Amino acid sequence: MNNGLTTACLVLLNQLKQSVQKHPKRITAAVATLLLTGGGGAFAVASFAPDPADLPVRTVTQAVQSLAANEPLSSLVDIPQYALYRSDVTRSADTAESILQRLGVADPAASAFLRSDANVRQNLLGRAGRSMSAETTDDHRLTRLTARWAPDDSGSFKRLVVERQQDGSFASRIETAPLTVGSRLAGGIIRSSLFAATDAANIPDAVAVQLAEVFSGDIDFRRALRKEDRFSVVYETLEADGEPLRSGRVLSAEFHNGDKTHSAVWFQEPGATKGSYYTLDGESMRRAYLSSPVEFSRVSSGFAMRFHPIHKTWRAHLGTDFAAPTGTSVRTVGDGVVDFAGVQNGYGNVVYIKHRNQHVTVYAHLSRIDVRKGESVEQGQKIGAVGSTGWATGPHLHFEFRVAGEHKDPMVIARQSEAAQPVSAAARPAFDRLAGNMRVQLSSAAQILQASAE
């Protein structure tokens, strides 16, 4: 009988095996149904358990002895003291309170001292453009206030120091220290104007003016600039205590104007009293005449026919008008001798300067005359200031260029004038070393500009 049961079981297992092999999907679905049904049953049983929210709650409170043994928090935690620093620039309307507020200082004693101290009132309050910095405690009480400025071109700067003493009072002092000369690389892309491009590149206006002056003989910055023109420049920075105080001279520059590239480098030959700008090939960029009797400025009326604002008639305008504020310095465009300095008809205060080759330049409507008849003047020397004397409707400089008594366009004359001598043979090795160094720096500035543009 046992043998028969064993045989029957083997037959049954063999049939089940064959069924699984023939119908695997059906067998799997059946097993899954069985498991899901079992799970549902378990869930149904679990859902009949008591709600945890209905269970009784008991609070147990037990006192724990403090490890601090009633010591104050200050004796357990060593809180370090720290200083806060902030920098800013003075404004013309500044008071003691406005300065301290911008510097993050909350100190009534410091405010009272700044209002009463003679050094502060004379050198800080109401003085625009002076660099200042403050050191304070972690609760914003003033420790030290320092202001720096360069009063002249002597190569040194002034330092005003206001410092808290050990007894809590304040004291001030004025110090003098030498400026440190550094250099910076920069570049820009022309989108609308030169000044817009230099502003976008955080280049000082003084550097932009020099840039226009350096290339004025090659580029008409009022009419010839094109969108996407590029420039690179290396210029000096005059630093006080490691902080840039103002910009210095342009050391080298490169300007891509259309399909032309212009370059310049400052070089002073050994033993010479002054330097000049040259191309990177050693050719002088100094011409017999400057293109403008004032620093880079807007031309309000060019050399052409115009409607006269006073006589109300159309007539030839035999000169160039430079719009500028009253008091703006006027310079001679070339070496010469003062032929006339005084008042003359509609010109008002006017200066005539006689140059070589029967060339004469005229500077009219001046508010001030700084030269006398017969005085020799050099190119770039200040001879007066912009004004509105004579027949002038507003402050501007009327400038004329005459050749043998005939009026000529001063812009054309300046560009056609001969250049000065190139670098001498004796100074050529020193110049070549400088030019090679400047090529590397200008290339670096151009790469920085390209990377920032991308």
Side-chain angles (χ1 to χ4, degrees):
M1 182 176 179
N2 289 338
N3 291 336
L5 181 60
T6 301
T7 302
C9 289
L10 292 175
V11 172
L12 178 61
L13 289 174
N14 186 45
Q15 291 178 351
L16 288 174
K17 180 178 179 181
Q18 292 178 359
S19 298
V20 170
Q21 291 177 349
K22 291 181 180 180
H23 308 286
K25 294 183 179 180
R26 293 182 180 179
I27 299 300
T28 302
V31 173
T33 301
L34 178 61
L35 292 175
L36 289 175
T37 304
F43 178 80
V45 172
S47 64
F48 287 105
D51 189 342
D54 296 333
L55 296 176
V57 178
R58 184 176 63 177
T59 302
V60 178
T61 304
Q62 183 175 356
V64 179
Q65 184 177 1
S66 173
L67 297 178
N70 297 323
E71 291 289 333
L73 181 62
S74 59
S75 65
L76 300 175
V77 182
D78 184 16
I79 302 178
Q81 300 295 317
Y82 57 89
L84 300 174
Y85 297 87
R86 181 174 290 183
S87 300
D88 209 311
V89 178
T90 59
R91 305 171 186 175
S92 58
D94 266 339
T95 62
E97 288 73 19
S98 63
I99 287 176
L100 294 179
Q101 182 179 15
R102 290 206 310 278
L103 293 174
V105 179
D107 192 336
S111 179
F113 179 81
L114 296 186
R115 288 196 305 269
S116 61
D117 184 68
N119 284 334
V120 173
R121 292 201 311 269
Q122 182 178 356
N123 298 287
L124 189 63
L125 302 184
R127 301 281 186 171
R130 297 192 171 180
S131 172
M132 59 179 179
S133 58
E135 176 187 348
T136 71
T137 61
D138 51 9
D139 57 353
H140 302 282
R141 291 183 299 113
L142 182 65
T143 302
R144 176 193 292 241
L145 172 67
T146 306
R148 305 170 184 85
W149 70 95
D152 49 40
D153 297 327
S154 63
S156 61
F157 71 97
K158 296 289 186 181
R159 184 194 296 121
L160 166 66
V161 180
V162 175
E163 199 167 23
R164 185 185 293 273
Q165 306 300 298
Q166 291 184 352
D167 61 359
S169 63
F170 288 94
S172 69
R173 63 182 183 274
I174 300 291
E175 302 172 342
T176 301
L179 286 165
T180 302
V181 180
S183 63
R184 289 198 172 187
L185 312 179
I189 303 175
I190 302 298
R191 305 297 186 193
S192 58
S193 68
L194 176 63
F195 280 107
T198 53
D199 286 345
N202 293 321
I203 298 174
D205 286 350
V207 174
V209 170
Q210 289 184 66
L211 198 61
E213 292 286 328
V214 169
F215 294 115
S216 61
D218 301 308
I219 304 172
D220 186 345
F221 282 89
R222 300 179 179 89
R223 291 174 291 188
L225 286 187
R226 302 179 183 180
K227 191 174 182 180
E228 301 303 324
D229 281 354
R230 294 170 176 260
F231 62 88
S232 303
V233 60
V234 181
Y235 63 94
E236 290 178 331
T237 57
L238 304 179
E239 300 177 354
D241 298 333
E243 296 184 6
L245 202 58
R246 66 182 185 189
S247 60
R249 177 185 290 120
V250 168
L251 300 176
S252 64
E254 188 173 71
F255 209 108
H256 301 272
N257 177 225
D259 57 354
K260 295 183 179 180
T261 299
H262 307 278
S263 59
V265 59
W266 171 265
F267 179 68
Q268 183 172 342
E269 294 198 12
T273 57
K274 58 182 180 180
S276 184
Y277 287 100
Y278 298 85
T279 67
L280 292 178
D281 295 326
E283 297 297 323
S284 176
M285 300 185 70
R286 184 181 186 273
R287 298 184 180 274
Y289 298 109
L290 298 174
S291 62
S292 171
V294 295
E295 290 186 341
F296 187 56
S297 174
R298 177 175 62 88
V299 176
S300 60
S301 184
F303 187 86
M305 292 293 291
R306 67 161 185 173
F307 186 76
H308 198 281
I310 293 180
H311 297 291
K312 306 301 181 184
T313 59
W314 284 95
R315 56 177 66 185
H317 187 235
L318 303 177
T320 302
D321 286 352
F322 294 85
T326 298
T328 302
S329 295
V330 175
R331 60 190 180 181
T332 176
V333 296
D335 300 340
V337 177
V338 178
D339 192 45
F340 179 86
V343 180
Q344 188 181 82
N345 301 326
Y347 284 146
N349 293 330
V350 62
V351 173
Y352 286 70
I353 295 180
K354 185 181 294 185
H355 311 276
R356 295 183 303 120
N357 302 324
Q358 295 184 307
H359 291 181
V360 175
T361 52
V362 182
Y363 312 78
H365 305 316
L366 302 175
S367 63
R368 185 184 71 248
I369 295 176
D370 297 334
V371 291
R372 300 185 307 274
K373 181 177 179 179
E375 181 179 346
S376 296
V377 293
E378 296 182 351
Q379 184 184 80
Q381 181 177 332
K382 295 178 181 179
I383 60 173
V386 171
S388 54
T389 57
W391 296 343
T393 57
H396 71 282
L397 173 70
H398 174 77
F399 175 64
E400 296 180 8
F401 203 113
R402 302 176 184 179
V403 178
E406 183 180 354
H407 291 82
K408 298 291 185 179
D409 187 341
M411 299 295 181
V412 174
I413 294 293
R415 287 183 175 82
Q416 293 178 349
S417 62
E418 67 275 12
Q421 294 295 320
V423 175
S424 66
R428 191 69 195 216
F431 175 82
D432 288 341
R433 289 192 296 270
L434 175 64
N437 182 36
M438 288 304 172
R439 280 191 176 95
V440 173
Q441 294 192 45
L442 290 172
S443 176
S444 299
Q447 291 176 6
I448 294 172
L449 174 62
Q450 183 177 0
S452 62
E454 293 175 354

